[in-house]
Amino acid sequence: MGDDLFQFPITGWEVKTEPLDGLLSVRFPFLSHEQQKLAEADPGRPYVMQAEQARELRDALSRAIERMSDQEYASPSFMEMPSDLSIY
C-alpha cells in the first residue's frame, strides 16, 4: 500500500436512510492500531449525503474495483479480513 493511502482498515459499514429527506448516512467502523481488537473498533463518524452523491460514490467504487480487477490487484495480507467481520 502506498504511503499516500490512509491505513486504518474498516471492519464493516452501517447505512441508514431517511427517505423523506432524500438522505442517507454511512458509518465505517475501523481499527486505529494494529493491536486493537474488533470489539474495540472505533465506530467512525456518520457521513450524510444526498441520494445523488451516494450514486456517485457507488459508481466511483465500482470503477475502482474494476480497475483493480483489470490489473489483477492482490490485496496486502494485513488488509485481508474474514468476511464474517463485516457489519451490514
Side-chain angles (χ1 to χ4, degrees):
M1 185 179 294
D3 292 337
D4 60 333
L5 294 178
F6 203 60
Q7 296 184 18
F8 292 101
I10 65 170
T11 61
W13 52 87
E14 175 186 316
V15 178
K16 294 182 180 180
T17 60
E18 186 56 59
L20 296 178
D21 295 330
L23 299 173
L24 62 89
S25 171
V26 180
R27 184 185 299 256
F28 299 102
F30 65 94
L31 300 178
S32 59
H33 57 83
E34 292 179 17
Q35 289 78 32
Q36 190 171 14
K37 297 176 183 170
L38 286 174
E40 301 169 347
D42 186 303
R45 296 179 175 184
Y47 295 96
V48 178
M49 63 189 89
Q50 298 173 343
E52 184 56 32
Q53 291 173 298
R55 287 185 196 97
E56 291 172 8
L57 176 60
R58 174 200 61 201
D59 294 345
L61 288 169
S62 292
R63 286 190 302 272
I65 292 167
E66 197 167 314
R67 279 193 304 271
M68 286 176 20
S69 295
D70 290 346
Q71 296 174 6
E72 298 181 1
Y73 179 81
S75 297
S77 60
F78 72 89
M79 289 298 291
E80 293 176 7
M81 292 183 277
S83 59
D84 62 340
L85 300 180
S86 295
I87 301 168
Y88 298 97

